[in-house]
């Protein structure tokens, strides 16, 4: 390319009144597509009865949209007809064509689902309902409304893939006709298309639709860059026409001599893929030398490999640039041989070799299932694409089961819409496709959620590796599990699949809720004992007033009290109320006083023994919400404050943070004292259990003589006291004669910490050692 070829693709600031118009010459809408007569010509694969049903649907849609205009000024009905025409190109069935004609009737015209069921049957009505956005008035923000509508559409698609095919046709026609739309809406629609709809088209193997949606989105989002690249490619076509024609002649001649019948066609990279390559690899346009490639279509599968042999004899292959997607298809069912060869002029040229059915699946993906229904069973390739797409859609349902938040669900789906995959093997040689960048944790969840939940280690190709290790194609992965293991929140920082992410979040949320409910029940029970009462449904110590009576009468009375208490607190259930208490959103003493009043109205009187137990051992200096015993098994709802890091043996108090659960501080902690002065009612009495179930972390500061082997001496002293070092911080100061070191230690209690400090003081390398205090 000459020096004047655009190389830095930056959008200059548009001059006043000037902006390149977003037009794609190759996809200019055909005026004939707006007429119903043109649509019926495309529907020649339907019988007369089905055509009559399509006409009825057209008349219904025409009446519903009567008087409505598109932004371009055309009658609105031209849009549904064009969408139905695109569905007819995929040979979709009569129900899908009818739904395409009426896809906006419920959303824009007030037509009800019941009316559609009565007129056109339940299957068609379900398709239209799946395509209808949720009412925006139900949501506080546009983002929330959009996320919920996406979720509704994707779950409808999981039940019936025709929903997404109609939606993709709808989006494609909208993208082709966006010139009349306001710029801010154009940018928003193009962004959604690039983020959601184009990846879905690729995931379902609709590569032709995928490429066009990408190209149109790029054109509307980056008009200046699109225009610059378009001019550069047009010039390159002229420069390289002779090269392309010469290669094509040589290839056709070689296949004629080998007596293999093939169809040879040239193909050109899309502007969006050229732009992406330039951006990712920091290339100028002149450095992108694979703008043109060739596709070889043969008759049978064995001829694919014969054709590859012919090409490798004609031009030299580039090592490491051969991919066999026939033996191992892509996740969307795509099958082809890819090989990159060195042309006579020394440039790299990619060839794709496939059969006719493979070519149909490569371009139409899951839609090939309908295109081939005319055959008895359809080609195996089309059925495989259907099976793989069904697997992905089932994964959407799995993600939905564990994700109640629409925005989170959409985030998981976006992660799952991966364009590239790596292929790894189980120890039993089963192949799994995972997104590029996947880790052993993603692999574990792809096998089964139980394997992922209990994963503790992994081996890749027989060698132990970290769980965050990135897997490569051909790796044999083995997961090591333990029955008591559970997901680590840190896994969310490196997992790549939506399935793994949703499963981990679901497990952690459930665990947090269970632990919060247990803690809330314990806190409310302790607070109620200070009133001389037991929680409804809990036996009292001496068979007193709290003891449940025989039969179900007492149970129903207790349930009524819990219901009344939940209504008073604004919660939907007893469990939700207890979770709120455990997370610090509700104060246990206030709830306990209300519960005591409800019990008094029922005639329950305070029990003297319970009252004594509730008051015994309370700390007069801390407003009591009841005593909570800490043994280390509480999980995420009880946290040791990172400022003072309390350990068994320390005097402790608990701070009930809003939505954070219980945070335990030492009684001497300066941070805790400041919190107490500001918010005293949220403090409660806590104490250590006699036998804690685990070790706890605390920090120590060391001043050391700097020299060889210092760290080894420190580690040996800690080990001699049978403690563990969990973290070392040496700061960023340059080396000197003495250096400061901060250790985070895991110890059982204060006695073991004292033993560690004694061992360290005996070391010649240690000048000073002290526990970290805020």
């Amino acid at each position: 390319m000459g020096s004047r070829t655009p190389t830095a693709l930056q959008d200059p600031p548009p001059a006043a009144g000037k902006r390149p118009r977003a037009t794609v010459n190759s996809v200019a809408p055909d005026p004939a597509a707006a007429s119903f007569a043109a649509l019926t010509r495309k529907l020649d694969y339907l019988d007369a009865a089905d055509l009559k049903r399509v006409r009825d649907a057209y008349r219904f849609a025409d009446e519903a949209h009567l008087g409505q205009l598109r932004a371009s000024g055309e009658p609105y009905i031209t849009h549904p007809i064009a969408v139905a025409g695109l569905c007819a190109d995929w040979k979709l069935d009569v129900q899908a064509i009818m739904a395409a004609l009426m896809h906006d009737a419920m959303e824009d015209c007030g037509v009800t689902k019941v009316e559609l069921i009565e007129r056109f049957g339940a299957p068609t009505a379900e398709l239209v309902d799946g395509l209808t956005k949720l009412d925006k008035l139900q949501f506080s923000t546009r983002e929330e409304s959009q996320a919920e509508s996406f979720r509704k559409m994707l779950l409808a698609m999981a039940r019936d893939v025709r929903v997404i095919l109609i939606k993709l046709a709808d989006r494609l026609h909208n993208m082709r006709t966006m010139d009349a739309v306001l710029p801010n809406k154009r940018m928003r629609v193009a962004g959604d298309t690039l983020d959601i709809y184009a990846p879905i088209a690729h995931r379902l193997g609709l590569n032709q639709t995928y490429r066009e949606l990408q190209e149109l989105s790029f054109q509307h989002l980056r008009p200046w860059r699109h225009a610059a690249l378009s001019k550069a490619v047009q010039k390159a076509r002229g420069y390289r026409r002779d090269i392309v024609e010469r290669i094509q002649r040589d290839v056709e001649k070689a296949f004629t001599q080998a007596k293999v019948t093939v169809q040879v066609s040239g193909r050109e990279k899309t502007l969006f893929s050229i732009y992406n390559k330039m951006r990712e690899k920091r290339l100028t346009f002149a450095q992108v030398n694979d703008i043109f490639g060739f596709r070889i279509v043969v008759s049978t599968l064995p001829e694919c490999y014969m054709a590859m042999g012919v090409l490798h004899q004609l031009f030299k292959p580039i090592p490491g640039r051969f991919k066999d997607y026939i033996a191992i298809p892509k996740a969307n069912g795509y099958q082809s041989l890819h090989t990159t060869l060195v042309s006579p002029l020394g440039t790299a040229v990619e060839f794709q070799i496939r059969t006719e059915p493979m070519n149909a699946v490569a371009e139409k993906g899951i839609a090939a299932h309908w295109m081939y229904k005319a055959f008895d069973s359809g080609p195996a390739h089309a059925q495989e694409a259907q099976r793989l797409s069904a697997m992905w859609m089932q994964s959407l349902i799995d993600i939905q089961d564990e994700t109640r938040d629409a925005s989170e669900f959409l985030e998981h789906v976006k992660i799952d819409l991966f364009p590239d995959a790596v292929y790894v093997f189980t120890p039993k040689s089963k192949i799994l496709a995972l997104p590029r960048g996947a880790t052993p944790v993603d692999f574990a969840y792809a096998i089964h959620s139980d394997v992922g939940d209990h994963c503790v280690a992994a081996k890749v190709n027989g060698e132990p590796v970290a769980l965050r290790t990135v897997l490569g194609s051909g790796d044999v992965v083995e997961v090591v599990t333990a029955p008591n293991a559970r997901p680590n929140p840190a896994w969310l920082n490196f997992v790549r699949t939506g399935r793994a992410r949703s499963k981990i979040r679901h497990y952690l949320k459930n665990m947090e809720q269970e632990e919060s409910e247990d803690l809330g029940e314990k806190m409310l029970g302790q607070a109620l004992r200070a009133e001389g009462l037991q929680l409804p449904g809990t036996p009292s110590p001496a068979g007193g007033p709290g003891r449940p009576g025989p039969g179900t009468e007492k149970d129903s009375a207790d349930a009524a009290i819990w219901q009344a208490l939940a209504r008073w607190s604004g919660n939907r259930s007893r469990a939700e109320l207890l979770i709120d208490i455990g997370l610090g959103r509700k104060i246990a003493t206030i709830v306990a006083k209300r519960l005591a009043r409800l019990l008094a109205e029922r005639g329950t009187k305070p029990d003297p023994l319970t009252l004594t137990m509730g008051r015994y051992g309370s700390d007069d200096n801390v407003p009591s919400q009841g005593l909570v015993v800490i043994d280390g098994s509480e999980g995420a709802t009880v946290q040791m404050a990172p400022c003072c890091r309390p350990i068994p043996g320390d005097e402790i108090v608990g701070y009930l943070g809003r939505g954070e659960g219980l945070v335990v501080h030492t009684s001497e902690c300066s941070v805790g004292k400041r919190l107490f002065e500001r918010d005293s009612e949220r403090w409660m009495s806590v104490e250590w259990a006699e036998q804690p179930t685990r070790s706890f972390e605390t920090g120590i500061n060391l001043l050391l003589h700097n020299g060889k082997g210092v760290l080894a001496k420190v580690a040996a002293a800690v080990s001699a006291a049978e403690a563990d070092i969990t973290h070392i911080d040496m700061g960023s100061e340059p080396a000197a004669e003495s250096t400061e070191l901060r250790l985070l230690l895991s110890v059982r209690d204060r006695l073991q910490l004292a033993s560690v400090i004694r061992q360290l003081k005996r070391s010649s390398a240690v000048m000073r050692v002290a526990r970290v205090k805020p």
Side-chain angles (χ1 to χ4, degrees):
M1 298 294 295
S3 60
R4 295 181 63 81
T5 301
T7 55
L9 298 177
Q10 297 297 323
D11 284 352
K18 289 187 179 180
R19 182 187 183 280
R21 286 193 58 80
T23 56
V24 178
N25 296 332
S26 58
V27 293
D30 178 7
S35 81
F36 186 67
L39 173 62
T40 53
R41 284 196 293 273
K42 289 186 176 184
L43 297 174
D44 55 1
Y45 60 93
L46 296 180
D47 59 29
D50 285 344
L51 280 172
K52 183 180 181 302
R53 295 173 67 194
V54 171
R55 284 193 190 92
D56 290 344
Y58 164 68
R59 291 191 191 99
F60 181 84
D62 194 24
E63 286 176 17
H65 292 294
L66 193 64
Q68 289 182 349
L69 299 175
R70 303 198 78 207
S72 62
E74 295 176 299
Y76 194 88
I77 192 63
T78 59
H79 170 63
I81 290 174
V83 173
L86 290 168
C87 293
D89 292 337
W90 291 328
K91 303 290 188 284
L92 296 194
D93 59 18
V94 64
Q95 291 170 349
I97 301 296
M98 292 161 64
L101 286 166
M102 300 184 290
H103 74 271
D104 281 333
M106 284 176 66
E107 187 177 326
D108 297 342
C109 309
V111 175
T112 64
K113 186 176 176 181
V114 174
E115 191 177 348
L116 287 178
I117 292 172
E118 289 172 355
R119 291 280 300 267
F120 303 102
T124 302
E126 287 293 343
L127 288 174
V128 176
D129 183 53
L131 291 158
T132 303
K133 291 178 188 172
L134 296 170
D135 186 354
K136 288 176 186 172
L137 296 177
Q138 298 174 15
F139 307 102
S140 55
T141 64
R142 172 189 285 277
E143 289 74 21
E144 186 186 352
S145 166
Q146 185 186 46
E148 280 288 2
S149 294
F150 272 133
R151 173 154 72 171
K152 179 190 175 190
M153 181 196 71
L154 289 170
L155 293 176
M157 169 191 114
R159 292 190 294 271
D160 191 333
V161 75
R162 293 175 297 179
V163 169
I164 197 62
L165 291 174
I166 299 167
K167 185 63 185 178
L168 288 172
D170 173 37
R171 180 52 61 111
L172 182 57
H173 185 254
N174 281 332
M175 290 296 293
R176 287 175 175 178
T177 55
M178 278 232 291
D179 285 350
V181 176
L182 292 173
N184 60 339
K185 183 178 180 182
R186 190 181 332 171
M187 296 282 283
R188 180 169 50 80
V189 172
D192 286 346
T193 302
L194 201 57
D195 288 345
I196 297 287
Y197 293 104
I200 287 176
H202 184 259
R203 197 65 174 75
L204 298 178
L206 298 156
N207 288 318
Q208 194 174 337
T209 305
Y210 164 64
R211 288 193 296 269
E212 189 174 348
L213 286 174
Q214 274 191 331
E215 199 73 354
L216 289 164
S217 300
F218 174 45
Q219 177 185 322
H220 292 298
L221 289 169
R222 299 282 186 272
W224 291 96
R225 299 179 194 191
H226 185 276
L229 267 181
S230 182
K231 287 179 185 175
V233 169
Q234 281 178 349
K235 286 183 182 178
R237 269 190 213 127
Y239 297 150
R240 301 180 188 182
R241 185 181 294 117
D242 293 342
I243 305 169
V244 173
E245 288 175 356
R246 178 181 164 185
I247 293 171
Q248 186 159 345
R249 280 197 308 271
D250 290 347
V251 168
E252 288 172 347
K253 182 179 176 183
F255 279 113
T256 302
Q257 290 173 351
K259 297 181 179 176
V260 179
T261 304
V262 299
Q263 299 170 36
V264 182
S265 57
R267 58 180 192 83
E268 190 178 280
K269 259 188 185 295
T270 62
L271 298 182
F272 182 73
S273 62
I274 294 170
Y275 168 70
N276 262 355
K277 187 165 188 175
M278 291 171 66
R279 191 181 60 177
E280 289 168 8
K281 299 192 175 181
R282 299 185 179 278
L283 303 173
T284 64
F285 178 77
Q287 291 172 312
V288 180
N289 56 19
D290 60 346
I291 293 173
F292 302 101
F294 292 89
R295 184 169 298 142
I296 311 293
V297 179
V298 296
S299 302
T300 64
L301 192 149
E303 286 180 349
C304 291
Y305 294 93
M306 289 171 61
M308 184 185 66
V310 171
L311 289 172
H312 284 195
Q313 290 299 312
L314 180 64
F315 303 126
K316 295 298 179 191
I318 297 176
R321 297 286 295 273
F322 167 68
K323 293 171 185 171
D324 189 344
Y325 292 120
I326 293 177
I328 305 177
K330 285 190 177 183
N332 57 17
Y334 175 89
Q335 288 186 295
S336 189
L337 294 179
H338 289 199
T339 184
T340 305
L341 310 177
V342 180
S343 74
L345 295 180
T347 56
V349 180
E350 187 185 59
F351 286 81
Q352 297 173 353
I353 309 163
R354 57 180 76 139
T355 63
E356 189 63 54
M358 287 178 196
N359 193 48
V361 172
E363 294 304 310
K364 306 297 182 185
I366 197 170
H369 171 73
W370 279 272
M371 296 178 75
Y372 277 99
K373 269 192 172 179
F375 298 121
D376 290 339
S377 59
H381 315 293
Q383 292 177 4
E384 179 67 4
Q386 178 85 353
R387 186 186 69 81
L388 289 165
S389 299
M391 283 171 58
W392 177 64
M393 288 185 285
Q394 180 58 45
S395 79
L396 291 181
I397 296 175
D398 293 342
I399 290 172
Q400 158 66 12
D401 287 344
E402 279 121 24
T403 310
R404 294 298 165 212
D405 180 70
S407 300
E408 194 176 299
F409 171 76
L410 188 57
E411 176 200 335
H412 294 157
V413 172
K414 282 184 180 180
I415 290 167
D416 245 11
L417 292 172
F418 51 86
D420 295 316
V422 293
Y423 298 90
V424 296
F425 296 86
T426 68
K428 294 182 179 178
S429 299
K430 180 185 175 186
I431 298 175
L432 285 181
L434 294 171
R436 199 169 296 283
T439 64
V441 177
D442 294 294
F443 175 88
Y445 279 104
I447 298 292
H448 196 279
S449 56
D450 283 345
V451 177
D453 288 345
H454 297 98
C455 169
V456 291
K459 292 181 180 179
V460 174
N461 303 323
E463 296 292 327
V465 297
L467 290 177
R468 65 185 311 125
T469 303
V470 174
L471 301 176
S473 284
D475 284 344
V476 179
V477 187
E478 182 182 351
V479 174
V480 181
T481 60
N484 297 324
R486 64 186 191 181
N488 186 335
W491 291 354
L492 292 169
N493 295 328
F494 58 77
V495 293
R496 286 299 305 275
T497 59
R499 175 181 171 83
R501 191 172 290 273
S502 66
K503 293 281 184 186
I504 294 165
R505 280 181 171 166
H506 177 65
Y507 187 98
L508 294 174
K509 278 181 183 175
N510 276 1
M511 184 177 69
E512 182 188 33
Q513 288 190 339
E514 286 172 15
E515 291 170 351
S516 299
E517 187 177 344
D518 290 344
L519 177 63
E521 186 170 6
K522 192 187 293 185
M523 290 165 60
L524 184 58
Q526 293 285 9
L528 197 60
R529 273 200 285 278
E531 304 289 329
L533 298 164
Q534 290 278 314
L535 281 176
T538 307
S540 63
R547 184 180 60 198
T552 59
E553 187 178 331
K554 177 72 165 60
D555 293 342
S556 60
D558 289 346
I561 281 185
W562 280 112
Q563 222 169 11
L565 187 64
R567 274 198 306 273
W568 169 81
S569 65
N571 295 102
R572 287 173 294 185
S573 64
R574 172 185 184 274
E576 191 179 277
L577 171 60
L578 294 176
I579 288 168
D580 277 358
I581 293 171
L583 288 173
R585 295 176 188 143
K586 300 273 194 304
I587 303 296
T589 45
I590 296 171
V591 178
K593 288 185 184 300
R594 178 67 184 182
L595 182 54
R597 190 182 305 168
L598 291 171
L599 288 168
E601 289 171 4
R602 194 177 73 176
T604 305
K605 295 179 181 178
D607 176 58
L609 179 57
T610 305
L611 194 61
T612 305
M613 289 174 61
R615 288 173 180 168
Y616 176 74
S618 64
D619 186 347
D620 294 335
N621 296 323
V622 179
S624 174
Q625 295 199 50
L627 190 68
V628 174
V629 178
I630 307 295
D631 67 359
S633 65
E634 296 80 15
T637 52
V638 176
Q639 304 168 45
M640 302 299 117
C643 49
C644 54
R645 297 191 183 277
I647 56 176
D650 290 334
E651 287 189 21
I652 52 174
V653 288
Y655 175 71
L656 205 58
R658 291 175 174 82
E660 301 166 2
L662 184 65
V663 182
V664 180
H665 291 261
T666 63
S667 58
E668 297 177 352
C669 175
S670 59
V671 176
K673 286 178 179 177
R674 286 198 297 273
L675 282 171
F676 179 77
E677 289 171 5
R678 194 175 65 204
D679 204 0
S680 60
E681 67 174 10
R682 304 192 74 82
W683 287 82
M684 60 186 298
S685 299
V686 291
E687 68 176 25
W688 295 108
E690 289 186 15
Q691 295 292 329
T693 59
R694 64 174 177 89
S695 298
F696 295 82
E697 287 186 340
T698 194
I700 60 171
N701 281 329
L702 296 166
L703 184 64
L704 306 171
H705 289 294
N706 206 355
K708 189 181 290 185
V710 165
L711 277 179
K713 290 176 183 176
V714 169
V718 173
S719 179
E722 298 183 350
D724 290 323
I725 300 174
T726 58
H727 183 73
I728 299 177
D729 182 7
M730 301 184 70
S732 56
E733 296 295 321
E737 281 190 21
S738 62
T739 185
E740 286 192 356
L741 194 68
R742 176 173 285 199
L743 299 183
L744 206 56
L745 303 176
S746 178
V747 294
R748 291 187 302 275
D749 50 29
R750 280 174 65 104
L751 290 175
Q752 190 180 20
L753 176 62
S755 175
V756 171
I757 291 173
R758 278 196 302 272
Q759 290 288 348
L760 286 167
K761 284 180 175 177
R762 288 175 190 157
S763 173
S764 58
V766 178
M767 299 164 63
R768 186 175 69 241
V769 57
R771 185 176 175 186
V772 175
K773 292 183 179 179

